[in-house]
Amino acid sequence: MSDEAATVMVDGIAVTRIAMLSDNYAWLLRETASGMVAMIDPAEVAPAQAVIDQAGGRLDFVLLTHHHDDHIAGAAALVAQYGAKLVGNAADAARLPALDVAMQPGDVMGFGDTEIRMMESSGHTIGHVAYVIGRRIAAVGDTLFSLGCGRMFEGNPAQFYASLGRIAALPADTLLLCGHEYTKGNVGFALSVEPENAALRARAAEVEALRARGAATLPVRLSDELATNPFLRARSADEFGRLRAAKDRF
Ligand code: ZN
Ligand code: FE
């Protein structure tokens, strides 16, 4: 997605990107029919407050993808301030701030007229989850980045490959909300894997232009990642594991 607007509308849900720390993104979701508001992975409080207050000062849910500090550090304070409910994976509750709604992968929660489904996405960490919001939005945390994927800190290649397969099986026009602006740093390795991939070369040029003017490269459509991201294009867990190891050395 090449527009620079921080907010995009998908099926009645306003999705707002919020830059945090040096390269993190939190995401604010506002269901326009009900006015309900949810935030994904707030690393910080102040930038979240600014966007929440601008949107009407309401926060119903904070959704966490995984236990790393750069995804949870702002959560407890925001929950306390706005009376939001904290949502996360029951299996990883011991490593998350106190959950109000402990879900299991496959569980669905209501968000106004929209459903949010927790999806298993272990690999970067064990217990990492993604959230599928409605039919065409997925918050994927550090599982998938544009042109790359998260480091495999806790999982193994089979787990990570299965998690990427679940994302790849979502509708192709799904908008992916990733946890970091790592795209430009991912270009070189991706091109080393598929130097002749025309879609990848076009995306690399787009990313270069966006970053040159300080614009974000996210969110991104799943269809674009399916055409360009070497980790999503791996055809086996072994191939994925070789790519992940090669990227670690790149
Ligand atoms: Zn992480
Ligand atoms: Fe992270």
Side-chain angles (χ1 to χ4, degrees), residues 9-14 31-32 114 133-137 173:
M9 284 292 302
V10 181
D11 298 339
I13 299 170
E31 212 235 10
T32 52
T114 300
I133 301 120
R135 288 191 319 103
R136 299 193 298 160
I137 303 168
D173 61 349

Short mmCIF file of all heavy atoms in Angstrom, two decimals, residues 9-14 31-32 114 133-137 173:
data_model
loop_
_atom_site.label_atom_id
_atom_site.label_comp_id
_atom_site.label_asym_id
_atom_site.label_seq_id
_atom_site.Cartn_x
_atom_site.Cartn_y
_atom_site.Cartn_z
N MET A 9 -9.67 2.57 5.59
CA MET A 9 -10.96 1.95 5.93
C MET A 9 -11.07 0.60 5.24
O MET A 9 -10.82 0.50 4.05
CB MET A 9 -12.12 2.83 5.43
CG MET A 9 -12.39 4.07 6.26
SD MET A 9 -13.02 3.70 7.91
CE MET A 9 -14.49 2.78 7.47
N VAL A 10 -11.43 -0.43 5.99
CA VAL A 10 -11.66 -1.76 5.43
C VAL A 10 -12.96 -2.30 6.01
O VAL A 10 -13.05 -2.55 7.21
CB VAL A 10 -10.51 -2.73 5.78
CG1 VAL A 10 -10.76 -4.09 5.15
CG2 VAL A 10 -9.17 -2.18 5.33
N ASP A 11 -13.98 -2.48 5.18
CA ASP A 11 -15.24 -3.09 5.63
C ASP A 11 -15.78 -2.45 6.90
O ASP A 11 -16.17 -3.13 7.85
CB ASP A 11 -15.04 -4.61 5.88
CG ASP A 11 -14.64 -5.34 4.62
OD1 ASP A 11 -14.89 -4.83 3.51
OD2 ASP A 11 -14.05 -6.45 4.74
N GLY A 12 -15.79 -1.12 6.94
CA GLY A 12 -16.37 -0.44 8.09
C GLY A 12 -15.47 -0.37 9.31
O GLY A 12 -15.91 0.01 10.39
N ILE A 13 -14.21 -0.75 9.15
CA ILE A 13 -13.25 -0.65 10.24
C ILE A 13 -12.14 0.33 9.84
O ILE A 13 -11.51 0.15 8.79
CB ILE A 13 -12.64 -2.02 10.58
CG1 ILE A 13 -13.74 -2.98 11.01
CG2 ILE A 13 -11.57 -1.89 11.67
CD1 ILE A 13 -13.28 -4.40 11.12
N ALA A 14 -11.96 1.35 10.67
CA ALA A 14 -10.88 2.30 10.43
C ALA A 14 -9.62 1.77 11.10
O ALA A 14 -9.61 1.49 12.30
CB ALA A 14 -11.25 3.67 10.99
N GLU A 31 -14.33 0.26 14.96
CA GLU A 31 -15.48 -0.28 14.23
C GLU A 31 -16.52 0.82 14.14
O GLU A 31 -17.08 1.23 15.16
CB GLU A 31 -16.04 -1.51 14.96
CG GLU A 31 -16.62 -2.53 14.02
CD GLU A 31 -18.04 -2.89 14.34
OE1 GLU A 31 -18.66 -2.21 15.17
OE2 GLU A 31 -18.53 -3.85 13.73
N THR A 32 -16.75 1.33 12.96
CA THR A 32 -17.50 2.58 12.86
C THR A 32 -18.96 2.39 13.25
O THR A 32 -19.57 3.31 13.80
CB THR A 32 -17.38 3.19 11.45
OG1 THR A 32 -17.72 2.20 10.49
CG2 THR A 32 -15.97 3.68 11.20
N THR A 114 -18.40 -6.99 14.22
CA THR A 114 -17.26 -7.67 13.60
C THR A 114 -16.79 -8.78 14.53
O THR A 114 -16.92 -8.68 15.75
CB THR A 114 -16.13 -6.65 13.36
OG1 THR A 114 -16.61 -5.63 12.50
CG2 THR A 114 -14.90 -7.30 12.73
N ILE A 133 -9.31 -9.88 11.90
CA ILE A 133 -10.36 -8.92 12.27
C ILE A 133 -11.31 -8.79 11.09
O ILE A 133 -10.91 -8.27 10.03
CB ILE A 133 -9.74 -7.57 12.64
CG1 ILE A 133 -8.76 -7.74 13.82
CG2 ILE A 133 -10.83 -6.56 13.00
CD1 ILE A 133 -7.34 -7.34 13.53
N GLY A 134 -12.54 -9.29 11.26
CA GLY A 134 -13.46 -9.30 10.13
C GLY A 134 -12.94 -10.23 9.04
O GLY A 134 -12.28 -11.24 9.32
N ARG A 135 -13.20 -9.89 7.80
CA ARG A 135 -12.83 -10.79 6.71
C ARG A 135 -11.50 -10.43 6.05
O ARG A 135 -10.90 -11.26 5.37
CB ARG A 135 -13.92 -10.76 5.62
CG ARG A 135 -15.21 -11.46 6.00
CD ARG A 135 -16.12 -11.63 4.79
NE ARG A 135 -16.12 -10.44 3.94
CZ ARG A 135 -15.45 -10.31 2.80
NH1 ARG A 135 -14.75 -11.30 2.32
NH2 ARG A 135 -15.52 -9.18 2.13
N ARG A 136 -11.02 -9.19 6.23
CA ARG A 136 -9.91 -8.78 5.38
C ARG A 136 -8.84 -7.97 6.10
O ARG A 136 -8.16 -7.15 5.48
CB ARG A 136 -10.45 -7.93 4.21
CG ARG A 136 -11.43 -8.68 3.31
CD ARG A 136 -11.66 -7.92 2.04
NE ARG A 136 -12.27 -6.62 2.32
CZ ARG A 136 -12.25 -5.59 1.48
NH1 ARG A 136 -11.65 -5.69 0.32
NH2 ARG A 136 -12.84 -4.45 1.80
N ILE A 137 -8.71 -8.19 7.41
CA ILE A 137 -7.64 -7.53 8.17
C ILE A 137 -6.98 -8.60 9.04
O ILE A 137 -7.68 -9.39 9.68
CB ILE A 137 -8.17 -6.41 9.08
CG1 ILE A 137 -8.95 -5.36 8.28
CG2 ILE A 137 -7.04 -5.75 9.86
CD1 ILE A 137 -9.74 -4.39 9.16
N ASP A 173 -6.82 -10.47 -0.50
CA ASP A 173 -6.88 -9.02 -0.32
C ASP A 173 -6.82 -8.61 1.15
O ASP A 173 -7.08 -7.46 1.49
CB ASP A 173 -8.12 -8.43 -1.01
CG ASP A 173 -9.43 -8.99 -0.44
OD1 ASP A 173 -9.38 -9.97 0.33
OD2 ASP A 173 -10.49 -8.43 -0.77
#
